[in-house]
Amino acid sequence: MDTSKNIKSILLNLVIIIALTLLILFIFFSSLKSITRHGQSIKVPDVTGMPSSAAMAKISAMGLQPVVLDTVFFDTLAPLSIVSQTPAGSAAVKEDHIIYLTINRAVPPTIQMPNLVGYSLNSASLLLKSFGLHLGKHSYTANLVKDAVVKQMLGDSEIVAGTRIPMGTTIDLVIGDGSGSQMMSVPDIIGMQLSEARDYISSMNCTIGAVTPDIDVVHSDSAFIYKQDPASTIINEQGQTGHVRMKIGGTIDVWVSSKPPVPGAAPTGASTPPAVPSQQH
């Protein structure tokens, strides 16, 4: 009799356990939709172009999480504005979903100025664009090479390749007009510092060519020129001195030292100048 009662008690307990288990499962699955907000979504706002502070506030107010993923630079966009977002505007997401933002930098990064000398105007323009720079005005000057870049300018000053400048900077170009057949007297730049000589002959539409520094030279721009090729003057077989001529737009090779040349020293020009004297005296 006791055995029969025990069996019934066990069966009753088992039925109760099964019933409670089914009830718990029913309640869980019934509430699962509510817990996960199944079928409920938030429409992502389109914040591209907006100031970053306003964009992040708008995203947060809609129950989403704004996160700055990257920064880039476009000088055509407002500083600290939103360049792009992921997911895109109008996408449907759940609450607390992360919205990744790319922001335009407030300060442009600096880059190294490329060397445009010798490039055609079209090629120089494309190279500037690839570096994030802008082509400004271009002018022509007397030079042997036609339609090629002779100088690259930042404002009123020539800018040397490798100089660090802000991305988005506008660069002006000086282009050769091919009139290199015209002649001029070779300027005398002996005793000048290299930087001074560059500016001096630049006003004559000429340029410094190869620079050969002595072993004691640390900074070439501040070094002194003690020899140039072509030389400014030549002494003929009769001992007469004449001026040497060169083509407009040509180059002058120089040798520099940390100390200025001694006045009255022997001529330091090239031993065999490539030009002929224009006059003798």
Side-chain angles (χ1 to χ4, degrees):
M1 192 70 177
D2 291 338
T3 303
S4 176
K5 287 182 179 181
N6 288 337
I7 294 174
K8 288 181 179 180
S9 177
I10 292 172
L11 290 174
L12 178 60
N13 290 334
L14 183 60
V15 170
I16 293 172
I17 291 172
I18 293 173
L20 288 173
T21 301
L22 291 174
L23 179 62
I24 292 171
L25 289 174
F26 175 76
I27 294 173
F28 172 76
F29 285 111
S30 296
S31 60
L32 185 62
K33 181 178 180 179
S34 175
I35 294 172
T36 61
R37 293 190 175 96
H38 181 68
Q40 299 181 25
S41 61
I42 298 174
K43 188 177 181 180
V44 176
D46 185 359
V47 295
T48 53
M50 290 179 60
S52 57
S53 56
M56 295 178 78
K58 184 174 183 178
I59 291 172
S60 298
M62 299 187 69
L64 303 172
Q65 298 184 44
V67 173
V68 177
L69 178 64
D70 196 9
T71 58
V72 294
F73 179 75
F74 294 97
D75 58 357
T76 54
L77 301 178
L80 298 179
S81 60
I82 304 299
V83 177
S84 62
Q85 64 180 84
T86 304
S90 300
V93 297
K94 298 288 183 64
E95 187 177 355
D96 291 330
H97 193 86
I98 296 177
I99 309 299
Y100 294 102
L101 304 173
T102 299
I103 298 178
N104 196 35
R105 295 176 61 165
V107 179
T110 60
I111 60 169
Q112 287 188 332
M113 176 67 199
N115 186 8
L116 306 176
V117 176
Y119 283 77
S120 67
L121 178 60
N122 184 57
S123 296
S125 176
L126 293 175
L127 187 57
L128 283 172
K129 186 176 181 180
S130 70
F131 275 77
L133 302 172
H134 297 293
L135 173 63
K137 62 184 179 181
H138 62 275
S139 57
Y140 287 88
T141 187
N143 192 269
L144 290 168
V145 183
K146 183 176 176 60
D147 296 329
V149 176
V150 177
K151 298 179 185 177
Q152 47 197 35
M153 309 291 293
L154 180 56
D156 296 329
S157 302
E158 188 171 0
I159 180 168
V160 180
T163 304
R164 298 202 70 85
I165 56 175
M167 187 180 291
T169 299
T170 297
I171 303 297
D172 299 329
L173 299 177
V174 179
I175 311 297
D177 63 2
S179 61
S181 59
Q182 300 177 25
M183 303 295 289
M184 61 173 283
S185 294
V186 176
D188 182 8
I189 55 177
I190 299 298
M192 292 185 181
Q193 288 183 307
L194 182 59
S195 58
E196 178 188 5
R198 288 188 196 276
D199 293 337
Y200 175 62
I201 69 172
S202 174
S203 64
M204 304 177 185
N205 295 319
C206 296
T207 56
I208 295 292
V211 177
T212 304
D214 284 357
I215 194 171
D216 62 342
V217 173
V218 178
H219 300 292
S220 294
D221 282 347
S222 60
F224 295 90
I225 297 172
Y226 67 87
K227 179 180 177 180
Q228 68 179 74
D229 184 12
S232 61
T233 58
I234 184 175
I235 301 176
N236 63 17
E237 295 178 353
Q238 288 74 38
Q240 298 174 313
T241 301
H243 292 285
V244 177
R245 296 181 65 79
M246 63 181 288
K247 290 182 178 180
I248 294 177
T251 60
I252 302 175
D253 298 335
V254 296
W255 287 254
V256 296
S257 172
S258 62
K259 298 178 181 179
V262 178
T268 53
S271 59
T272 309
V276 295
S278 59
Q279 59 182 15
Q280 296 179 342
H281 51 81

